[in-house]
Amino acid sequence: MDIELQTAAVALCVALPLTFALRLPTKTGRRGEQMPRIGGLSILGGFVASILIMALFSDEARRLVGDDRREFLVLVACGAVVCAVGARDDFKDLDWRYKMSTHFLAALGIYLAGFRIGETTLPGGGTLALGWMDPVVSVFWLMLITNSINLIDGRDGVAAGVAALVSSTMSYIAWDLGHDLIAMLFAALAGASLGFVPLNLPQAKRFLGDSGAYFLGFMIAGLSIAGFVDTTGRVPLYIPLVALGLPVLDTGVAFVRRYLDGRHPFKHDADHFHDRMERAGYSPLKLTLVSYAITVLFCAGAL
């Protein structure tokens, strides 16, 4: 895993100073202060820069990226669009329909580029061919994970740390399955997330914002269905689904809760996992560490 570790290290070394340098104020925080909430820009920069630097200095990395140049460029372009819409929302609230429409178009874009589920392996060893449902399920998966990461981004350090843990786990699994490019891209995402975390832990000096949360979710979702192909050529989707257990469960519970309460499923509320932990008396740092511990358990299950 030398190339993956090197890529993660480069991404971290790029994202950390970028995170420190980006101080543009956006929204007003709960205490009336102007919060720099464009963390997605430093994570996007660290991710892309690490791949380009590795391709410049490593023959193996250059070969991996060159073999799938078109798919890589489409993924980065669509991820950048999702990040840009999130950044716009960080400056001024956008209607949820506008954001969901953008997520749909970005998901459709990478689906057409080849990021699709197609036929998936089931935990018991059987297979399930999606057929005409493939675009529906693939796009739904991309939109679900994109928004799941955003929904757990309610307290300092949670979403970026969870994304780093999940990406690291998926990088190892992709490497173990022989998907070297996907493993390298996941490593870049993990390193860029880790470069952001130190300034995002309680009491945070930088905030992820929708730009960072949407970008992380979109990239994790896209790379998951591109890289988790077993020896039969099918995608065992339950592996990334297990690793993403915390954000996926929190999102599912939120939608069911809002439906049962007669509220709009896309309208914000203050009853997520982190909200309940805070009301239970957890300190900001303990809440973040417990979120990491739960994610480690889910990642262990995926492994």
Side-chain angles (χ1 to χ4, degrees):
M1 286 195 70
D2 287 348
I3 191 170
E4 288 80 14
L5 293 174
Q6 292 168 10
T7 304
V10 172
L12 189 153
C13 291
V14 173
L16 183 59
L18 273 179
T19 302
F20 182 80
L22 288 174
R23 304 175 63 119
L24 295 176
T26 56
K27 288 183 179 176
T28 302
R30 284 176 291 180
R31 297 185 296 272
E33 76 280 20
Q34 289 295 307
M35 302 191 306
R37 294 184 58 182
I38 48 175
L41 300 183
S42 58
I43 294 175
L44 172 61
F47 174 80
V48 174
S50 65
I51 300 301
L52 295 179
I53 292 171
M54 290 299 298
L56 186 63
F57 292 100
S58 167
D59 293 336
E60 182 181 1
R62 189 181 308 114
R63 176 184 60 79
L64 291 174
V65 176
D67 289 345
D68 295 288
R69 184 185 300 107
R70 171 181 167 272
E71 290 78 5
F72 171 70
L73 292 175
V74 171
L75 177 66
V76 172
C78 291
V81 168
V82 170
C83 180
V85 170
R88 181 69 181 89
D89 187 59
D90 288 334
F91 281 93
K92 184 178 180 180
D93 287 332
L94 297 175
D95 187 85
W96 68 267
R97 288 167 291 193
Y98 179 83
K99 292 185 287 186
M100 293 297 289
S101 297
T102 304
H103 296 169
F104 172 78
L105 292 175
L108 184 61
I110 67 169
Y111 174 82
L112 295 175
F115 291 80
R116 58 187 66 180
I117 298 171
E119 188 174 31
T120 184
T121 305
L122 301 175
T127 60
L128 175 66
L130 296 178
W132 64 270
M133 285 293 293
D134 181 41
V136 177
V137 176
S138 297
V139 170
F140 173 77
W141 166 262
L142 290 160
M143 295 180 67
L144 170 67
I145 303 305
T146 299
N147 287 276
S148 293
I149 298 297
N150 185 54
L151 288 178
I152 64 166
D153 182 33
R155 296 298 181 272
D156 297 347
V158 174
V162 167
L165 290 167
V166 171
S167 297
S168 300
T169 302
M170 291 182 171
S171 178
Y172 175 79
I173 296 175
W175 170 81
D176 187 55
L177 291 173
H179 306 298
D180 294 331
L181 174 61
I182 302 302
M184 186 174 74
L185 296 178
F186 265 128
L189 198 63
S193 300
L194 285 174
F196 181 78
V197 166
L199 290 171
N200 187 230
L201 290 172
Q203 297 286 327
K205 295 179 175 62
R206 299 291 183 274
F207 296 84
L208 196 60
D210 285 355
S211 62
Y214 285 150
F215 177 74
L216 285 172
F218 187 81
M219 298 302 287
I220 289 174
L223 292 174
S224 295
I225 58 176
F228 285 86
V229 182
D230 60 19
T231 55
T232 63
R234 304 183 183 97
V235 181
L237 196 62
Y238 57 86
I239 295 177
L241 186 62
V242 170
L244 288 160
L246 177 59
V248 169
L249 285 173
D250 183 59
T251 301
V253 169
F255 274 72
V256 172
R257 180 183 67 244
R258 293 168 187 173
Y259 173 78
L260 294 177
D261 290 343
R263 291 178 291 164
H264 197 290
F266 292 104
K267 295 296 184 181
H268 172 76
D269 63 20
D271 207 17
H272 288 283
F273 166 78
H274 47 263
D275 296 310
R276 293 185 176 220
M277 288 185 66
E278 187 176 66
R279 289 197 293 270
Y282 284 79
S283 67
L285 182 58
K286 188 174 181 180
L287 188 157
T288 301
L289 294 177
V290 168
S291 300
Y292 291 172
I294 294 172
T295 302
V296 167
L297 293 176
F298 277 117
C299 289
L303 288 169

